[in-house]
Amino acid sequence: MRRRQARVVTEASQAYSFSRRAWLLGVAQGGVGLMLAGRMGWLAVAENAHFSALSESNRVNMTLVPPRRGWIVDRNGVPIANNRTSFRVDIIPDRLERGPEERARILATLGQLLRLTPEDMDRVRIDLDRAAGFQPVPVAENLDWERFAAVSVRLPELPGVAPSRSFARNYPGGAAVAHLTGYVGAPTAEQYKATHNRLLVTPGFKLGKDGLEKMLEDRLRGSPGEKRVEVTAHGKLVAELATRPDVPGHNQRLTIDAGLQDYAARRLGTNSGSAVVMDCLTGEILAMVSVPAYDPNSFSAGISHLEWNMLSEDDHVPLMNKVTQGLYPPGSTVKPMNGLALMHAGVSPLDRVNCSGALRVGTGVFHCHKRGGHGPLDLRGAIMQSCDIYFYEMIRRVGYDAIAPIARMMGLGQKFDLPLASQRYGTVPDSAWKLRKYKRKWTVADGLNASIGQGDVLANPLQLAVMAARIGSGRAVIPSLLARSDRPSAPALPISPDHLATVRAGMWGVVNGGGTGGVARMYVPGVALAAKTGTAQVRRISMAERRSGVLKNGSLPFKLRDHALFICYAPADNPRYAAAVVLEHNGHTVRNLDTPMIGRDIMTYLFDRERAMTSLADVEPSWGGDIATRMAAQANAYRASKNPPPAAVATKTDAVVPSDAPAVEAATDQANSQAADLVGVGPSGTTVAEDGTTEGAQQ
């Protein structure tokens, strides 16, 4: 076996081997060094802003400052919704100690510092249990400086407690503007999850929930500010740093007259109803009131389940905006408009119809509201006396298809572009509409019922006000709520001036010539009111009841009483203002709470404010005082009757708002059911027109 020869290692080979390893090691070290240098350069240059921000966030706490909302003001600059400084204390559940003993200690300390009632403490505990972790829970608002400062100096021992100085929304008009402005409230957890906008979980921030506050949210909100404070590693305040101020939202000026709005709400008294006042020349809405209502200040602060239940159970439905969500048979208020349509169809205003009190059509009998009849009447007299038989007979001759186009021209069934949610637009029926909807032909009975504003005809109070304004002005005015300086003139209606003059003469006679609305006569020198009264039936009246005597409204349950309606304009000889008043189930039962006197006083306010206020002062005490007094008494009585458990005082935090409330839907369904029950009545032996209506007693 051959032995392997030993390798000879020379000094030169050793030097070469060492040099190569040293070179490789140097290259590796150089590479690592370059990598470290590159990384350091990247962190120092490219990531400088990111890590500077992280470093700054460890040193500086930055919180958003809720922006001040823009004001909502009336046509004269009077605030309808404004802001006031508010000291408040919230709890952020995520930052609150979770231990039951520590949590109880914090709540007990807060209760002592803020002098909270046991009811307040129950509400806070329940709200904390139900709130999302990031959703601020309000503890107290509108605090005085003493209590706010007492909490602020004890913050190190109150983790999760967030005192703040903010601006609370304020509605000087209270319930009088509730359905107009809506209200603001805290965002829901669902709204935050959908956007992850930090502003939505900032204590004190509120957004529009309903009404104009919701529809104009983008204009009213503004941009948040930022508050920066320097803190230690343990969160202890070192110093306050420069703060970026918020940018307030834009103010919104309305066409509303705040004084008239408040007066109309008060003058409607204890009714369930609405009033709309318009400028005949511009279409500007001067007042838009729905009663009863809720207090938007209470809603913005966060109402309890108890208060929500009280409002939901009220049969006058205070959660509903009756101006835009209420639909009613317009009753006899359509007779002036029907007169225009009859003349347009070729009927002479001098042609007479003899009213004997009833009209037989086939096997059915249609009655006039005056049992003994009116005798022979022309168009002007038929409007003045609100004679049903005249309109039955004339519209039977020309057909209701000749009436429907004029009704739409005058505003019924029309949609208006207004910043209002949940509008309902009603129905102007005709033969094509019925065939399309019910697959049945139009009948004579359909036309006769529609001729006196019953049957399938439905309108909201705003449309009735537009109808009055268009009759008064002869122009196609469009209602508006947002003020503007460049409003164009409304075009003239394609209606003969002679026809308008005939109808206006009839409406003047309703009030001033022995018609059905004599109590609406104004006492302002030189100003006469032109108007039309109306009664809308909501129940069937059988022939058997007619034979035994039709039941009076005063003896019927509230929901079965007739609606009372009134449209008007003034001055009669040179119309400037128009109005509509609709009272649900009013039944003409109380004289000073009926439509003619209410309409008269509201219009009087526009010409003689002192006289109108004197008239109100004479009658308001008999209704239990002003709106706030009556609402407080109702709330106290409801609370006493329910003896509510602690959970009832918890804050209502779901997304349901008044205009979408189940109570509103239920009221709408009931009204639809009543309207459907009256459709097609006539030939079957029951008729719509009520014998014994008090329209004829309004003199």
Side-chain angles (χ1 to χ4, degrees), residues 47 97 107 114 118 154 156 188-189 235 248 253 291 297 412 423 433 454 460 484 552 561 607 667 677-678 684 693 699:
E47 292 290 289
E97 294 289 343
L107 292 180
L114 298 175
R154 300 277 294 272
T188 63
R253 189 163 68 93
V291 297
N297 293 298
L412 300 193
Q423 296 184 63
W433 172 88
Q454 295 272 182
N460 66 38
R484 50 182 291 188
K552 302 297 183 182
R561 297 175 185 171
F607 297 97
D677 191 48
L678 291 173
S684 61
T693 179
Q699 299 177 29

Side-chain angles (χ1 to χ4, degrees), residues 51-168:
F51 285 102
S52 293
L54 288 178
S55 174
E56 185 72 3
S57 68
N58 287 331
R59 183 182 71 89
V60 176
N61 274 349
M62 185 168 59
T63 57
L64 293 180
V65 177
R68 289 161 287 176
R69 290 181 73 80
W71 287 21
I72 300 175
V73 300
D74 83 339
R75 62 191 303 109
N76 302 311
V78 176
I80 294 176
N82 58 10
N83 306 313
R84 52 178 171 74
T85 303
S86 173
F87 294 110
R88 59 180 291 127
V89 172
D90 297 278
I91 292 178
I92 312 299
D94 272 348
R95 303 177 190 172
L96 184 66
E97 294 289 343
R98 291 294 181 179
E101 292 183 2
E102 180 64 9
R103 172 172 160 170
R105 182 194 66 79
I106 293 172
L107 292 180
T109 302
L110 275 180
Q112 181 180 9
L113 294 174
L114 298 175
R115 299 192 289 275
L116 301 179
T117 65
E119 189 178 72
D120 291 332
M121 296 302 298
D122 287 338
R123 191 262 307 164
V124 172
R125 292 187 187 97
I126 296 170
D127 288 355
L128 278 173
D129 291 338
R130 295 178 177 177
F134 46 77
Q135 186 176 19
V137 171
V139 177
E141 293 185 275
N142 304 323
L143 294 170
D144 54 59
W145 172 252
E146 180 185 356
R147 287 185 290 169
F148 179 77
V151 172
S152 299
V153 299
R154 300 277 294 272
L155 280 183
E157 57 187 272
L158 297 173
V161 175
S164 61
R165 177 180 178 178
S166 60
F167 291 91

Side-chain angles (χ1 to χ4, degrees), residues 340-511:
L340 291 173
L342 288 172
M343 289 185 286
H344 185 75
V347 173
S348 169
L350 301 179
D351 288 352
R352 290 175 175 264
V353 170
N354 184 56
C355 172
S356 63
L359 176 69
R360 180 170 292 278
V361 179
T363 60
V365 178
F366 286 78
H367 293 264
C368 188
H369 68 82
K370 186 174 182 180
R371 183 187 296 271
H374 293 97
L377 290 173
D378 60 10
L379 176 58
R380 180 175 178 272
I383 293 173
M384 286 174 54
Q385 301 302 329
S386 197
C387 178
D388 297 325
I389 300 300
Y390 177 92
F391 289 96
Y392 288 151
E393 176 59 31
M394 287 301 188
I395 289 177
R396 181 172 65 164
R397 294 180 190 178
V398 304
Y400 195 77
D401 280 0
I403 307 298
I406 303 299
R408 298 186 185 105
M409 180 194 300
M410 302 309 290
L412 300 193
Q414 189 172 350
K415 299 180 180 180
F416 302 113
D417 184 19
L418 294 170
L420 297 169
S422 304
Q423 296 184 63
R424 302 175 67 216
Y425 304 103
T427 304
V428 177
D430 56 21
S431 57
W433 172 88
K434 184 175 181 181
L435 191 63
R436 185 170 61 250
K437 181 166 183 172
Y438 295 112
K439 305 297 187 290
R440 295 198 302 270
K441 291 185 177 180
W442 188 263
T443 66
V444 173
D446 292 329
L448 268 59
N449 285 331
S451 73
I452 60 167
Q454 295 272 182
D456 287 301
V457 185
L458 292 172
N460 66 38
L462 175 61
Q463 292 168 340
L464 296 182
V466 171
M467 180 175 68
R470 291 182 178 180
I471 292 174
S473 68
R475 296 186 173 275
V477 293
I478 301 296
S480 59
L481 263 177
L482 299 180
R484 50 182 291 188
S485 57
D486 59 341
R487 196 176 307 281
S489 299
L493 292 167
I495 296 177
S496 165
D498 291 339
H499 294 174
L500 284 169
T502 298
V503 166
R504 290 169 182 162
M507 294 181 70
W508 179 90
V510 167
V511 177

Side-chain angles (χ1 to χ4, degrees), residues 294-324:
Y294 57 87
D295 184 355
N297 293 298
S298 177
F299 266 63
S300 294
I303 68 162
S304 66
H305 289 279
L306 180 70
E307 185 175 354
W308 177 263
N309 292 340
M310 178 188 71
L311 295 168
S312 298
E313 294 170 14
D314 191 330
D315 63 358
H316 284 31
V317 202
L319 295 173
M320 173 186 277
N321 182 355
K322 298 175 179 67
V323 172
T324 57

